[in-house]
Amino acid sequence: MSRMIRGAAALAAAVLALSACGGGGDGDPLSGGGGEGGGQTITIGGADFPESGLIGEIYAQALESKGVKVERKFSIGSREVYYDQVKSGAIQVFPEYNGALLAYLDKENPASTTQEVDAALKQKLPAELEVLAPSQAENKDTLAVTAATASKYKLTTIEDLKPVAGELVVGGPPEFKTRQQGLVGLEKVYGVKFKEFKSLDTAGPITVSNLAKNQIQAADLFSTDAAIKKNGFVALQDPKNVFGAQNVLPLVYKSKINDTVRTALNAVSAKLTTAGLQEMNSEMSEKKTDPETVAKDWLGKNGLG
């Protein structure tokens, strides 16, 4: 009997010790939204292009500053590869672009504004996934012109092109000629019809070179492309949303993140802008600064480090 008593006492002591160390419950301190940090590691992913890895690094350092343990899995591949990893919970946080994610889930959805796209995403995402607050930062198609062309024709928006587009040559990837988010939409929505279309690469060095040399007068470039800043190009505003929203935002596996993680990620989104992302891309591509340093500097400047 005395052995049984001693054994029971030892077991009770072990249980108390385990509880004191935070080992009780379901063993998942980040699942219920407790205090800062927590024992579980949050895995943050990134696609196989530099900007995605940079945003992932910003997310990672923002969480680490709050005491959250982080594992990085960057350069994973395309959305077809990484989406299922997030859906399964193997990755808990992933930097996404709301418009591209919606197109992946529902390619026929007509939503174009940030609010429309986010509302549609909430309907289309499976129950285990969620998108957090969108940032102002967007990596989307833009119609860019040189500063000289913008000055000559007094261009600030795509609408301003309507009376002069017949004198101008526009360049972009082959599909830009036939897609709604391209020449078809520009003519339908803004009445903009160019003199000629020149088939080039996808917002790459050939397009940039043609625009810089005035071989074309307008080009399809991505809004966070470092080449816009480097060359002093002007990305024309698109008030009627021919080019749908592509806001940067975190895609998360809901059950594995708590209020600390949500708050930290939403704080990043509240500060991240297209111009800021373009500046950071430029820092990496032009000055060859590593993304860890770029992320740290940006977080520090925005009071999030």
Side-chain angles (χ1 to χ4, degrees), residues 15-87:
V15 170
L16 286 171
L18 185 61
S19 298
C21 291
D26 62 4
D28 185 359
L30 284 179
S31 67
E36 284 201 4
Q40 181 181 333
T41 298
I42 289 290
T43 301
I44 299 178
D48 56 353
F49 59 97
E51 182 176 285
S52 183
L54 170 65
I55 300 167
E57 183 62 33
I58 290 172
Y59 289 169
Q61 291 188 29
L63 294 186
E64 287 172 336
S65 73
K66 299 299 183 183
V68 178
K69 295 177 183 178
V70 171
E71 180 181 356
R72 295 158 172 80
K73 286 190 176 180
F74 300 158
S75 302
I76 291 175
S78 67
R79 189 170 285 103
E80 287 76 9
V81 175
Y82 68 69
Y83 177 80
D84 285 342
Q85 294 189 43
V86 184
K87 187 178 177 182

Side-chain angles (χ1 to χ4, degrees), residues 229-253:
K229 178 179 174 61
K230 180 181 179 182
N231 293 278
F233 296 154
V234 177
L236 300 177
Q237 297 171 31
D238 177 22
K240 295 182 179 178
N241 297 298
V242 164
F243 304 117
Q246 294 289 355
N247 300 84
V248 175
L249 79 180
L251 173 66
V252 302
Y253 190 80

